[in-house]
Amino acid sequence: MTKVWIMNPQKIEAADSGLQEAARWLREGKRVAFPTETVYGLGADARSAEAVAGIFAAKGRPSDNPLIVHIADRSQLGDLTDADRLDETSRRLMDDFWPGPLTLVLPAKPGAVAANVTAGLPTVAVRMPDHPVALRLIEAAGCPVAAPSANRSGRPSPTRASHVLADLDGLIDGIVDGGPTGVGVESTVVEVVDGVVHVLRPGGVSAEELRRVAGRVEARGELSAALARSGEGGPSSGQLAEEEAAPKSPGMKYAHYAPRGRLTVVSGDSPDRISAWIREQLRKASAEGERTGVLTFEEHCEQYGSEADVVVTAGSLQSPETVARNLYGALRSFDEQNVTVIYAEALEEEGIGLAVMNRLLKAAGHRIKLV
Ligand code: AMP
Ligand code: MG
């Protein structure tokens, strides 16, 4: 049985009996899911190898994919890394973006966290979430909390407690239900090397925002890279193979965020051409007995009414933040309606659009169609 505590993020107090119980469970080595500003996390005491092993087991997560350690206060940083020798850029990023959706990969203090948290790496990924329930819970637990997203490995991340229960009910000890999350995609993971900020995973803090604080920021848009390759004579009509290069962030190599239906991302310069091509595919798929779905934007949703069984609108093209917030719920809704073939329109890789496209392309197993 998974226990559920319901909490109002606006009214949560440290003395709340549910919060105290959830914190005690974490301290005792149990697995407790909780809301953050990005997605729901599945927490355990980062110092306990046994508790952390419980996270990997519940998620079915590969053991070489390390976990992010969550703290509630900068004073906890010294337990995880040599805080006195922190590089200037990392310090500035923390000053500006913590609490918030930014994870920093830092040199790990030996023995600070269990070896399975870092998958044996000499570094530890740390963040301070900007959510009152998460902060109070971590503070009350009194330990660094290792917490990946609270979904079965490979599935879309949970942005509501109901998503967590759909994947992990009975597999974890408890869940704090604090309502829907705000940002909707995970934190940005960065590593600073010689003053240069390398974005290992795009997320809630955009590359543009990072650039305002740190001089050099290296971030790669996967869709732009695919487009560039096609311009160089690379594959242009349909399937683009996933990059073979060794991933800098171990989690980058795994299939992720995927709905059960076969998802293809469609991109190009002309919205009319995109919708015409998608409509044609929908007709073909229907004729073959597939149940079809489209992930689109408010501006285009009327284009598909007669062709698709399920049309999901993630938000307006004018509000990529809304699209990010709705993305995982939208992917899960195709599963809830047993959709077997899905086409998704692409978003500009600007601002949080970079993170949205990163997740969408992973969810599609990098099936991109350029029209
Ligand atoms: P998740 O917990 O599923 O949101 O994923 C956490 C992300 O952080 C994954 O992409 C991990 O590979 C990455 N990560 C965690 N720890 C490290 C680390 N020490 N070095 C590089 N990447 C890390
Ligand atoms: Mg995850």
Side-chain angles (χ1 to χ4, degrees):
M1 268 290 286
T2 297
K3 175 153 189 172
V4 181
W5 298 274
I6 295 175
M7 287 174 207
N8 180 343
Q10 268 84 50
K11 295 201 179 132
I12 187 67
E13 285 180 21
D16 183 278
S17 61
L19 188 94
Q20 287 299 329
E21 186 177 33
R24 195 177 71 242
W25 283 24
L26 281 173
R27 248 189 338 267
E28 289 170 354
K30 293 188 171 133
R31 293 158 296 181
V32 175
F34 60 92
T36 77
E37 82 281 32
T38 59
V39 302
Y40 272 75
L42 176 57
D45 181 348
R47 302 165 308 185
S48 160
E50 205 184 332
V52 170
I55 291 182
F56 283 94
K59 283 184 59 98
R61 183 175 172 111
S63 61
D64 61 348
N65 191 2
L67 307 181
I68 294 171
V69 177
H70 293 65
I71 59 175
D73 192 281
R74 279 280 274 272
S75 64
Q76 288 178 279
L77 196 61
D79 299 335
L80 304 171
T81 191
D82 190 347
D84 297 334
R85 297 183 54 191
L86 200 61
D87 71 276
E88 186 49 38
T89 307
S90 294
R91 191 185 305 276
R92 244 184 298 138
L93 291 174
M94 288 174 194
D95 289 345
D96 270 67
F97 296 108
W98 279 7
L102 181 71
T103 296
L104 288 119
V105 173
L106 302 166
K109 229 179 205 179
V113 292
N116 49 358
V117 170
T118 59
L121 294 170
T123 51
V124 61
V126 187
R127 92 169 185 107
M128 191 190 293
D130 187 15
H131 192 290
V133 171
L135 289 172
R136 293 263 150 77
L137 180 66
I138 298 164
E139 196 175 22
C143 59
V145 175
S149 50
N151 50 281
R152 284 286 294 174
S153 200
R155 300 269 301 137
S157 303
T159 52
R160 295 172 179 274
S162 61
H163 299 160
V164 179
L165 289 171
D167 278 17
L168 299 174
D169 195 10
L171 297 175
I172 60 175
D173 300 294
I175 170 168
V176 179
D177 180 350
T181 58
V183 178
V185 292
E186 296 83 346
S187 62
T188 304
V189 180
V190 300
E191 183 169 21
V192 179
V193 181
D194 298 330
V196 180
V197 180
H198 295 266
V199 175
L200 305 184
R201 173 180 77 179
V205 174
S206 69
E208 292 85 345
E209 286 172 298
L210 292 171
R211 276 189 196 106
R212 260 178 249 137
V213 176
R216 268 187 65 197
V217 176
E218 302 278 354
R220 194 179 61 109
E222 294 175 51
L223 183 61
S224 327
L227 287 166
R229 279 199 304 277
S230 74
E232 291 159 6
S236 60
S237 58
Q239 328 272 292
L240 293 167
E242 186 159 359
E243 295 270 287
E244 295 294 328
K248 284 209 196 80
S249 186
M252 290 163 73
K253 69 175 185 253
Y254 293 106
H256 252 100
Y257 322 113
R260 295 199 179 86
R262 181 187 163 88
L263 171 65
T264 304
V265 177
V266 189
S267 177
D269 314 325
S270 154
D272 287 344
R273 222 165 41 228
I274 291 174
S275 61
W277 187 84
I278 292 178
R279 281 200 301 273
E280 190 191 326
Q281 303 311 305
L282 292 170
R283 279 193 293 271
K284 280 189 202 159
S286 290
E288 288 163 8
E290 304 284 359
R291 190 164 157 74
T292 60
V294 177
L295 180 59
T296 181
F297 307 102
E298 271 166 24
E299 289 82 350
H300 302 159
C301 61
E302 285 178 2
Q303 309 254 12
Y304 303 106
S306 52
E307 270 95 359
D309 295 314
V310 176
V311 179
V312 177
T313 305
S316 164
L317 283 166
Q318 303 306 313
S319 175
E321 284 74 19
T322 311
V323 174
R325 191 174 309 130
N326 293 332
L327 177 71
Y328 290 132
L331 292 176
R332 280 179 180 265
S333 73
F334 290 117
D335 290 346
E336 288 154 12
Q337 297 174 80
N338 301 311
V339 173
T340 55
V341 170
I342 308 159
Y343 291 91
E345 294 182 352
L347 191 66
E348 290 276 346
E349 283 181 316
E350 276 171 21
I352 200 159
L354 187 71
V356 170
M357 286 311 297
N358 169 273
R359 305 307 191 271
L360 201 52
L361 288 171
K362 282 202 164 64
H366 287 256
R367 259 187 305 279
I368 316 169
K369 172 69 184 179
L370 308 174
V371 296

